Amino acid sequence: MDNEKIRKQVKDEFIEYLTLHKHRKTSERFAILDHIYSIKGHFHMDSLYDSMKQNGFRVSRSTLYNTIELLLDCNLVVKHQFGANASQYERAYGNENHDHIICIDCGMVRESRSNLISDEQLKKIRKFTVSYYSTYIYGVCSKCSYARRMKLNRMRRK
């Protein structure tokens, strides 16, 4: 599905959600939704706020946080908590299934499209229709692994 169709679909779903839950349909909320769906990958609330300001959108942090809560509740945005790092978010629609590779030392998060779970395995899940999935893989990145080895070597020389 192309990006314009996705944006229209999520806007329609958001309108339906706001109507059903008797929330106001404000231009700020729709601008936030549209901006999120123009972003590829993960984002933090601060980076979203800064990005919107740079693109000429005037939105308060409280409106941003309140709107994110609504978007989480209606399943248009996914929240990730990678270890002790600040929460990260990504759009729920238009993302390919992917794995998150997280370094437990430096907190670096990288996406991988390795598809550890095959389509055949997903189809075998009975009485359940999979919309999307993501997998979390925790370990140590090569940079941190190298730093650990160098520190150990220095300690051995003493």
Side-chain angles (χ1 to χ4, degrees), residues 1-153:
M1 190 182 298
D2 73 359
N3 205 29
E4 283 304 312
K5 286 182 182 177
I6 291 170
R7 283 175 149 168
K8 181 177 179 348
Q9 179 184 350
V10 296
K11 184 177 181 182
D12 291 346
E13 286 189 32
F14 196 38
I15 289 170
E16 183 179 310
Y17 171 85
L18 294 172
T19 302
L20 286 171
H21 293 87
K22 298 182 176 146
H23 293 293
R24 292 182 310 129
K25 297 171 201 76
T26 64
S27 58
E28 290 88 358
R29 287 178 175 164
F30 292 112
I32 293 166
L33 174 68
D34 193 58
H35 193 73
I36 287 170
Y37 273 81
S38 72
I39 298 171
K40 293 278 188 191
H42 302 116
F43 61 89
H44 298 276
M45 291 301 287
D46 288 338
S47 66
L48 178 62
Y49 177 77
D50 292 342
S51 174
M52 291 196 75
K53 270 180 53 176
Q54 288 171 359
N55 285 297
F57 294 107
R58 298 224 182 259
V59 63
S60 71
R61 287 187 187 273
S62 62
T63 298
L64 201 57
Y65 278 93
N66 290 335
T67 302
I68 283 291
E69 289 303 317
L70 295 174
L71 294 171
L72 287 167
D73 194 45
C74 67
N75 300 313
L76 294 175
V77 170
V78 178
K79 181 179 180 178
H80 299 286
Q81 187 69 47
F82 302 118
N85 294 334
S87 298
Q88 293 187 35
Y89 303 85
E90 68 182 331
R91 61 192 198 177
Y93 287 82
N95 281 338
E96 295 176 6
N97 294 332
H98 60 278
D99 308 313
H100 298 95
I101 299 169
I102 305 117
C103 178
I104 57 177
D105 281 1
C106 69
M108 177 273 311
V109 178
R110 188 169 45 101
E111 288 187 3
S112 170
R113 306 244 184 267
S114 63
N115 292 330
L116 296 174
I117 302 173
S118 71
D119 289 338
E120 285 302 313
Q121 289 170 313
L122 291 174
K123 288 177 187 171
K124 289 181 182 177
I125 301 173
R126 294 178 178 265
K127 297 183 181 180
F128 191 78
T129 302
V130 177
S131 299
Y132 64 91
Y133 78 87
S134 66
T135 307
Y136 301 110
I137 303 166
Y138 291 91
V140 179
C141 71
S142 59
K143 184 178 172 184
C144 290
S145 182
Y146 177 77
R148 281 182 177 183
R149 284 193 310 274
M150 297 312 301
K151 182 178 180 181
L152 187 60
N153 287 340

